């Protein structure tokens, strides 16, 4: 699904990603850990082709297509979908309208999807105008549900979300990644198959999201380098006990 | 830009025939009317008025409680309308008002009777068909005590390339507890000069809500309607959506004079210069407390042009609350990228943001009119990027 090869990225003069190699298979969810400022968000933004992130070396291959320098909308149309951490407000654009546009030619059952993320009361509001942290998360998720991406990039799904909404978000992220959790007669077999082939790349500090999804693999991003590949729960446990200090040693060994 | 000279236009000799029915217009003119908010089927309208070139062409009332007359007939019927005619606008003010005083082609007189709640809008159109024609009209709107009225009025020319001039005097009277929603859509052409002169007076507890839409080119437009809030609790609100393509020169704004306690006003303008020039004025003057007013001019320059925002606040007594916000900016890259991440290409993303910026939705217009406006915005975006 996604192949990242020796990816180097600069913001201005500063190198934030220093040779990333990462493969994510169809249907697989990959969890990214790492201390603040280590480059996790930068990696997601680069995959989406956003902002001032300049690729100086390496390649990004998505579904066999080299998208390293592709415009953002081409990546989106190929099936990359991203949940933004701090999305901009768009005045005069109601959520309902944006969600409908996320489906492109496909008809989007806006009301039904919105009810699933408890967002039907927000459909007439301008996108992100005065949304709380948890509301932004649900709004982003709703847009992804309409978009039906085959690779979901999610930056800290649990930040700013209360416990009740965490369960709701967890459930919907799962259904986005692993197909519907309840059978839906209105979905064709083809759609169900597509849903099952969805991959994920999720950034988390707390690991709460792991209670809801089947995450197969994980790694730590430390100072622009990936290290310590293991099962996500084991990584989390390790960080809890020892912090990120271990990663430094692990990295030193790897780079030596 | 030098103001136009009205002497270059013919103010006589273009009397139009009376129409039995709006369908009698040819398809081309019907289309022009539609763009100006006029539905020839008269569906969902309380009445219709059409003035063409130098005379009234159609006038019909569909509901009790609302009176629609050619101003010439109203002057006869009401002995010259001594309480209303030229009471808010000074005929000596300038060349335009003097012309309107000397030459009267017609115009509408629309009155909602006391307590009448006229739910469906009255539609009107001031139309210029003849080349070189100068049109001079005088309109009077009266909302009697406790009445409610919505007027949708369009101004249009038959051919986008023709040369013509429009002089229009409008005087609005909103009596105690009355509510007037006045939506004006301008569809002039690239060689048309337009100099409306409008003023209104709102009594105690009355409301004046004004929507203004200008998306098509106009050679020269100058207007500065002034509303006086004369009674306790009176409210005025202006929403303007304005696009100036290449060749358009607009000098426009709104003024509210708050002359009574507990008055409120809001003047909001969204402007886009796409090659043309916009001088966007705004003036709130408050001399009584409590009084609360807000003035907002937001502009985008897309594809060249000039925006000159001139917001003015004038307070003459302690305790008034007036504010203004003026900004001329560009479309934020972050917003475009956000929409591109949802699969919209750069043009789709930009036009979505522009439509949101203009935000015609807040005017609460009838669906069909909104669709026409959306379509016109989409067309006008060709000049922007
Ligand atoms: N636009 C920018 N200009 C300059 N520096 C930037 C910019 N964006 C990110 N950085 C820097 O790049 C580094 C990596 O940032 P990034 O947001 O990717 O970290 P992160 O791993 O997501 O951190 P966190 O866990 O705090 O979200 C940080 O030092 C950050 O300050
Ligand atoms: Mg981050």
């Amino acid at each position: 699904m996604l192949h990242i090869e020796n990816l180097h990225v600069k913001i201005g003069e500063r190198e934030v990603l220093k040779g990333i190699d990462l493969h994510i298979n169809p249907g697989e969810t990959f969890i990214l850990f790492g201390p603040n400022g280590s480059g996790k968000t930068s990696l997601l933004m680069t995959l989406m082709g956003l902002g001032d992130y300049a690729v100086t070396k390496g390649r990004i291959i998505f579904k066999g297509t080299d998208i390293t320098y592709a415009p953002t909308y081409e990546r989106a149309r190929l099936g990359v979908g991203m949940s933004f951490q701090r999305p901009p407000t768009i005045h005069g654009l109601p959520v309902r309208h944006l969600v409908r546009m996320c489906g492109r030619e496909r008809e989007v059952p806006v009301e039904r999807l919105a009810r699933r993320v408890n967002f039907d009361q927000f459909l007439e509001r301008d996108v992100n105008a005065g949304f709380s942290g948890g509301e932004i998360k649900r709004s982003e998720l709703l847009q992804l549900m309409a978009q039906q991406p085959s690779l979901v990039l999610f930056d800290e799904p649990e930040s700013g979300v209360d416990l009740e909404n965490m369960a709701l978000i967890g459930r919907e992220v799962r259904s986005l990644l692993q197909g519907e959790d309840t059978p839906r007669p209105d979905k064709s077999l083809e759609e169900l198959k597509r849903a099952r082939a969805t991959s994920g790349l999720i950034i988390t500090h707390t690991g709460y999201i792991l209670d809801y999804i089947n995450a197969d693999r994980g790694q730590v991003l430390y100072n622009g380098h990936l290290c310590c590949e293991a099962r996500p729960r084991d990584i989390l446990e390790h960080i809890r006990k020892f912090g990120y200090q271990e990663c430094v040693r692990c990295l030193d060994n790897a780079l030596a | 830009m030098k103001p136009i000279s009205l002497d270059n236009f013919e103010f006589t000799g273009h009397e139009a025939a009376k129409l039995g029915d709006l369908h009698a217009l040819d398809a081309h003119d019907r289309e022009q009317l539609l763009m100006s908010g006029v539905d020839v089927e008269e569906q969902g309208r309380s009445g219709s008025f059409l003035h063409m070139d130098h005379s009234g062409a159609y006038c019909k009332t569909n509901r009790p409680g609302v009176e629609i007359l050619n101003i010439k007939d109203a002057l006869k019927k009401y002995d010259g309308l001594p309480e209303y005619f030229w009471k808010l606008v000074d005929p000596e003010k300038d060349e335009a008002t003097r012309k309107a005083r000397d030459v009267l082609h017609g115009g509408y007189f629309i009155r909602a009777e006391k307590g009448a709640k006229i739910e469906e809008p009255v539609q009107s159109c001031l139309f210029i068909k003849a080349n070189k024609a100068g049109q001079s009209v005088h309109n009077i709107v009266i909302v009697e005590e406790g009445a409610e009225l919505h007027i949708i009025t369009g101004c249009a020319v038959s051919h986008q390339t023709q040369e013509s001039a429009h002089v229009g005097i409008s005087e609005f009277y909103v009596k105690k507890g009355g509510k007037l929603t006045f939506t004006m859509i301008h569809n002039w052409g690239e060689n048309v000069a337009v100099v409306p002169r409008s003023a209104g007076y709102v009594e105690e507890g009355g409301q004046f809500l004004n929507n203004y839409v200008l998306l098509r080119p106009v050679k020269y437009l100058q207007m500065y309607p002034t509303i006086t809030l004369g009674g306790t609790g009176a409210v005025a609100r202006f929403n303007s959506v304005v696009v100036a393509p290449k060749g358009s020169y607009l000098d426009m704004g709104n003024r509210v004079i708050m002359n009574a306690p507990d008055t409120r006003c809001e003047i909001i303008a969204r402007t886009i210069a796409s090659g043309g020039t916009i001088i966007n004025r705004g003036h709130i003057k408050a001399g009584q407390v409590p009084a609360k007013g807000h003035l907002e001019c937001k502009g985008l320059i897309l594809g060249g042009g000039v925006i000159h925002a001139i917001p003015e606040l004038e307070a003459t007594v302690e305790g008034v609350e007036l504010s203004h916000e003026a900004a001329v900016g560009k479309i934020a890259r972050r917003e475009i990228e956000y929409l591109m991440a949802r699969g919209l290409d750069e043009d789709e993303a930009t036009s979505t943001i522009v439509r949101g910026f203009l935000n015609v939705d807040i005017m609460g217009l009838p669906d069909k009119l909104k669709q026409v406006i959306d379509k016109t915005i989409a067309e006008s975006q060709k000049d922007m990027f």
Side-chain angles (χ1 to χ4, degrees):
Chain A
M1 178 70 66
L2 179 71
H3 289 261
I4 303 174
E5 294 169 12
N6 190 28
L7 188 69
H8 290 254
V9 171
K10 273 188 176 173
I11 306 170
E13 284 306 295
R14 175 154 177 229
E15 187 160 62
V16 286
L17 298 178
K18 305 168 183 171
I20 301 291
D21 287 286
L22 179 64
H23 303 281
I24 301 178
N25 294 317
E28 188 174 62
T29 295
F30 196 93
I31 305 292
L32 204 53
F33 297 94
N36 294 140
S38 58
K40 303 180 298 298
T41 298
S42 304
L43 177 59
L44 258 50
M45 299 287 273
T46 305
L47 292 177
M48 201 70 242
L50 301 168
D52 310 319
Y53 302 87
V55 176
T56 54
K57 217 196 258 180
R59 310 196 293 166
I60 306 166
I61 313 288
F62 179 67
K63 290 184 186 167
T65 306
D66 187 332
I67 58 163
T68 317
Y69 302 102
T72 298
Y73 66 88
E74 273 181 28
R75 303 175 196 222
R77 291 179 191 180
L78 273 174
V80 186
M82 171 162 161
S83 165
F84 284 62
Q85 214 171 4
R86 283 182 221 96
T89 298
I90 302 190
H91 293 286
L93 176 64
V95 173
R96 177 191 300 281
H97 192 161
L98 178 55
V99 173
R100 212 180 284 134
M101 288 194 294
C102 286
R104 304 292 308 164
E105 289 80 24
R106 218 177 335 103
E107 186 80 29
V108 177
V110 182
E111 302 276 345
R112 181 165 69 77
L113 296 183
R115 273 195 298 276
R116 276 172 49 186
V117 284
N118 193 13
F119 215 63
D120 42 326
Q121 301 303 315
F122 291 78
L123 292 174
E124 311 314 325
R125 291 258 299 263
D126 288 356
V127 174
N128 300 320
F131 286 7
S132 72
E135 287 161 3
I136 285 178
K137 287 286 184 295
R138 282 181 285 149
S139 159
E140 290 295 300
L141 196 50
L142 174 58
Q143 291 170 50
L144 288 177
M145 287 157 72
Q147 225 180 322
Q148 299 189 354
S150 34
L151 172 66
V152 177
L153 309 175
F154 216 128
D155 202 343
E156 297 184 31
E158 55 277 275
S159 72
V161 179
D162 67 40
L163 288 177
E164 211 168 306
N165 277 302
M166 189 59 233
L168 186 146
I169 285 175
R171 206 166 55 233
E172 291 307 327
V173 171
R174 177 177 58 204
S175 87
L176 202 58
L177 290 171
Q178 296 164 355
E180 311 282 347
D181 47 359
T182 49
R184 289 189 181 272
D186 54 326
K187 289 255 162 164
S188 68
L189 263 179
E190 193 51 43
E191 275 181 294
L192 286 173
K193 220 161 76 198
R194 184 207 54 76
R196 268 196 297 276
T198 302
S199 306
L201 176 53
I202 298 181
I203 297 174
T204 180
H205 286 295
T206 62
Y208 294 150
I209 190 70
L210 298 176
D211 295 345
Y212 302 93
I213 59 174
N214 279 319
D216 318 274
R217 299 158 54 212
Q219 225 168 352
V220 175
L221 184 59
Y222 194 91
N223 192 22
H225 296 279
L226 276 175
C227 61
C228 314
E229 169 145 12
R231 288 172 40 79
R233 289 232 177 258
D234 297 338
I235 297 177
L236 189 66
E237 191 59 25
H238 204 83
I239 298 167
R240 272 207 190 111
K241 275 200 198 120
F242 308 108
Y244 284 107
Q245 287 315 308
E246 286 286 299
C247 301
V248 183
R249 204 159 349 115
C250 171
L251 255 182
D252 283 347
N253 291 340
L255 294 175
Chain B
M1 166 143 185
K2 200 177 154 317
I4 42 105
S5 171
L6 294 174
D7 295 339
N8 298 338
F9 299 93
E10 300 162 7
F11 279 82
T12 51
H14 294 291
E15 275 68 31
K18 289 248 183 306
L19 296 173
D21 185 322
L22 289 175
H23 285 97
L25 293 162
D26 66 33
H28 172 82
D29 287 353
R30 285 208 303 264
E31 178 73 9
Q32 292 300 104
L33 253 60
L34 188 67
M35 304 286 277
S36 311
V38 175
D39 184 345
V40 296
E41 308 297 335
E42 302 187 55
Q43 292 276 318
R45 298 290 190 266
S46 293
S48 300
F49 180 88
L50 174 66
H51 179 99
M52 196 183 289
D53 290 334
H54 290 167
S55 60
Y58 185 78
C59 180
K60 186 163 169 242
T61 311
N62 301 332
R63 296 277 179 286
V66 61
E67 183 179 23
I68 307 172
L69 295 171
N70 185 322
I71 190 76
K72 289 184 169 177
D73 297 329
L75 286 167
K76 268 183 231 145
K77 180 174 174 184
Y78 294 109
D79 303 320
L81 291 163
E83 295 164 66
Y84 303 108
F85 196 62
W86 289 113
K87 285 299 163 214
L88 295 175
V89 178
D90 176 6
E92 287 300 335
K93 185 176 181 293
D94 56 24
E95 190 196 355
T97 57
R98 283 192 295 274
K99 179 59 91 179
R101 179 198 55 199
D102 298 343
V103 183
L104 177 64
H105 292 143
Y108 51 79
F109 171 87
I110 303 175
R111 189 175 73 97
E113 289 168 11
K114 189 171 172 178
K117 311 260 190 253
I118 312 300
E119 276 169 23
E120 297 183 323
V122 170
Q123 61 181 1
S124 127
C125 184
L126 306 169
F127 196 61
I128 309 181
K129 210 168 157 59
N131 198 24
K132 284 279 168 199
Q135 181 181 65
S136 171
V137 298
H138 195 133
N139 309 307
I140 288 185
V141 176
I142 302 169
V143 175
E144 301 283 3
E145 277 187 25
E148 285 182 18
L149 178 65
H150 184 180
I151 298 175
I152 295 175
T153 178
C155 295
V157 286
S158 178
H159 301 282
Q160 287 289 310
T161 50
Q162 80 191 41
E163 273 183 67
S164 32
H166 168 93
V167 177
I169 308 296
S170 297
E171 297 178 285
F172 304 100
Y173 297 87
V174 180
K175 305 278 179 76
K176 214 168 150 179
K179 178 177 172 184
L180 173 62
T181 305
F182 188 79
T183 297
M184 185 152 78
I185 294 147
H186 271 170
N187 260 316
W188 303 107
E190 58 204 48
N191 295 312
V192 181
V194 183
V195 281
R197 298 289 180 256
S198 309
Y201 189 90
V202 185
E203 293 183 3
E204 187 180 331
Q207 295 182 47
F208 178 81
L209 312 178
N210 184 92
N211 299 313
Y212 178 67
V213 179
L214 170 65
L215 302 169
R216 290 289 195 76
V218 55
K219 184 180 185 182
Y220 179 80
L221 169 79
Q222 188 206 46
M223 60 179 199
Y224 206 167
T226 300
I227 297 296
T228 302
L229 300 179
T232 304
V235 172
R237 201 167 75 215
F238 287 90
N239 271 314
S240 304
V241 165
V242 172
V243 176
K246 198 165 164 18
S248 283
Y249 183 95
L250 319 175
D251 181 341
M252 48 181 295
N254 303 110
R255 175 182 284 135
V256 178
I257 297 171
M258 307 174 85
N259 260 350
D262 277 319
T263 48
R264 279 181 294 133
C265 77
E266 194 172 65
I267 300 174
I268 294 179
R270 295 271 183 274
T271 62
I272 294 180
S274 55
T277 297
I278 303 172
I279 299 173
N280 185 204
R281 300 174 193 276
H283 182 194
I284 302 176
K285 182 174 176 177
Q288 295 274 336
V289 280
K292 209 167 178 168
H294 182 66
L295 178 57
E296 195 174 302
C297 331
K298 290 211 171 139
L300 287 176
I301 298 181
L302 298 174
V306 175
I307 294 179
H308 183 170
I310 313 176
E312 285 182 69
L313 302 179
E314 193 181 343
T316 57
V317 61
E318 187 178 327
V320 300
E321 295 174 76
L322 303 182
S323 59
H324 82 72
E325 194 182 341
V328 179
K330 56 171 189 169
I331 299 176
R333 188 69 208 160
R334 256 164 57 77
E335 294 179 25
I336 294 176
E337 286 190 342
Y338 183 58
L339 296 183
M340 290 207 295
R342 301 295 179 231
L344 281 70
D345 67 30
E346 183 139 5
D347 280 356
E348 290 170 329
T350 312
S351 72
T352 301
I353 292 163
V354 166
R355 212 168 310 150
F357 169 80
L358 293 176
N359 200 7
V360 173
D361 288 0
I362 55 167
M363 295 181 177
L365 303 177
D367 281 347
K368 208 162 158 188
L369 175 55
K370 220 186 80 71
Q371 281 162 21
V372 174
I373 292 175
D374 280 344
K375 197 173 134 225
T376 314
I377 291 177
E379 284 163 10
S380 70
Q381 287 183 337
K382 285 199 282 286
D383 299 327
M384 296 179 192
F385 16 85

